[in-house]
Short mmCIF file of all heavy atoms in Angstrom, two decimals:
data_model
loop_
_atom_site.label_atom_id
_atom_site.label_comp_id
_atom_site.label_asym_id
_atom_site.label_seq_id
_atom_site.Cartn_x
_atom_site.Cartn_y
_atom_site.Cartn_z
N ALA E 938 -3.27 -4.12 17.71
CA ALA E 938 -4.55 -4.23 17.00
C ALA E 938 -4.52 -3.42 15.73
O ALA E 938 -4.98 -3.86 14.67
CB ALA E 938 -5.69 -3.76 17.90
N ALA E 977 3.84 27.58 -0.15
CA ALA E 977 4.08 28.46 0.98
C ALA E 977 5.50 28.27 1.52
O ALA E 977 6.18 29.24 1.88
CB ALA E 977 3.06 28.20 2.08
N TRP E 991 14.32 22.70 8.24
CA TRP E 991 13.13 22.13 7.62
C TRP E 991 12.56 21.05 8.53
O TRP E 991 13.29 20.29 9.15
CB TRP E 991 13.49 21.49 6.28
CG TRP E 991 14.15 22.40 5.29
CD1 TRP E 991 15.46 22.79 5.26
CD2 TRP E 991 13.53 23.03 4.17
NE1 TRP E 991 15.70 23.62 4.19
CE2 TRP E 991 14.53 23.78 3.50
CE3 TRP E 991 12.23 23.02 3.65
CZ2 TRP E 991 14.27 24.51 2.35
CZ3 TRP E 991 11.97 23.76 2.50
CH2 TRP E 991 12.97 24.50 1.87
N SER E 1055 15.32 19.48 -3.18
CA SER E 1055 15.47 20.36 -4.35
C SER E 1055 15.72 21.81 -3.96
O SER E 1055 16.21 22.60 -4.77
CB SER E 1055 14.22 20.27 -5.23
OG SER E 1055 13.10 20.86 -4.59
N GLU E 1059 23.65 24.14 1.41
CA GLU E 1059 24.66 23.81 2.41
C GLU E 1059 24.38 24.54 3.72
O GLU E 1059 24.12 25.74 3.73
CB GLU E 1059 26.05 24.17 1.90
CG GLU E 1059 27.16 23.72 2.82
CD GLU E 1059 28.54 23.99 2.25
OE1 GLU E 1059 28.62 24.46 1.09
OE2 GLU E 1059 29.53 23.73 2.95
N GLY E 1081 -8.33 7.23 7.57
CA GLY E 1081 -9.78 7.21 7.69
C GLY E 1081 -10.31 5.89 8.21
O GLY E 1081 -11.37 5.42 7.79
N PRO E 1084 -7.19 0.42 6.58
CA PRO E 1084 -5.77 0.06 6.49
C PRO E 1084 -5.22 0.21 5.08
O PRO E 1084 -5.90 -0.10 4.09
CB PRO E 1084 -5.75 -1.40 6.94
CG PRO E 1084 -7.13 -1.90 6.68
CD PRO E 1084 -8.05 -0.74 6.90
N PRO E 1099 16.89 11.16 -1.25
CA PRO E 1099 17.28 12.50 -1.71
C PRO E 1099 17.87 13.39 -0.62
O PRO E 1099 18.56 14.38 -0.92
CB PRO E 1099 15.95 13.08 -2.23
CG PRO E 1099 15.14 11.89 -2.60
CD PRO E 1099 15.49 10.86 -1.57
N VAL E 1106 17.80 14.73 10.91
CA VAL E 1106 17.41 14.02 12.12
C VAL E 1106 16.11 13.29 11.81
O VAL E 1106 15.10 13.91 11.46
CB VAL E 1106 17.20 14.98 13.31
CG1 VAL E 1106 16.80 14.19 14.56
CG2 VAL E 1106 18.46 15.80 13.57
N ASN E 1135 13.25 -5.00 19.29
CA ASN E 1135 12.36 -6.09 19.75
C ASN E 1135 11.46 -5.64 20.89
O ASN E 1135 10.99 -6.48 21.68
CB ASN E 1135 13.19 -7.29 20.17
CG ASN E 1135 14.17 -6.98 21.28
OD1 ASN E 1135 14.41 -5.81 21.58
ND2 ASN E 1135 14.75 -8.00 21.89
N ASP E 1160 15.02 21.08 27.05
CA ASP E 1160 15.98 22.16 27.28
C ASP E 1160 16.85 22.29 26.04
O ASP E 1160 17.75 21.49 25.81
CB ASP E 1160 16.83 21.86 28.51
CG ASP E 1160 17.83 22.97 28.82
OD1 ASP E 1160 17.88 23.97 28.07
OD2 ASP E 1160 18.56 22.83 29.83
N GLU E 1180 7.11 4.30 32.38
CA GLU E 1180 6.85 2.87 32.17
C GLU E 1180 6.86 2.11 33.49
O GLU E 1180 6.03 1.21 33.71
CB GLU E 1180 7.90 2.30 31.22
CG GLU E 1180 7.74 2.79 29.78
CD GLU E 1180 8.92 2.44 28.90
OE1 GLU E 1180 10.00 2.10 29.43
OE2 GLU E 1180 8.77 2.53 27.67
N MET E 1198 27.73 13.50 11.62
CA MET E 1198 26.83 14.21 12.54
C MET E 1198 27.37 14.25 13.97
O MET E 1198 26.70 14.77 14.87
CB MET E 1198 25.45 13.56 12.54
CG MET E 1198 24.75 13.58 11.18
SD MET E 1198 24.42 15.26 10.58
CE MET E 1198 23.13 15.79 11.71
N GLN E 1199 28.57 13.74 14.17
CA GLN E 1199 29.13 13.68 15.52
C GLN E 1199 29.26 15.07 16.14
O GLN E 1199 28.99 15.26 17.33
CB GLN E 1199 30.49 12.98 15.49
CG GLN E 1199 30.44 11.53 15.07
CD GLN E 1199 29.72 10.64 16.07
OE1 GLN E 1199 29.73 10.90 17.27
NE2 GLN E 1199 29.07 9.59 15.57
N ALA E 1200 29.67 16.05 15.34
CA ALA E 1200 29.84 17.40 15.88
C ALA E 1200 28.51 18.02 16.27
O ALA E 1200 28.42 18.78 17.24
CB ALA E 1200 30.54 18.29 14.84
#
Side-chain angles (χ1 to χ4, degrees):
W991 303 79
S1055 69
E1059 186 175 356
V1106 181
N1135 59 346
D1160 181 359
E1180 290 169 344
M1198 298 298 289
Q1199 295 294 328

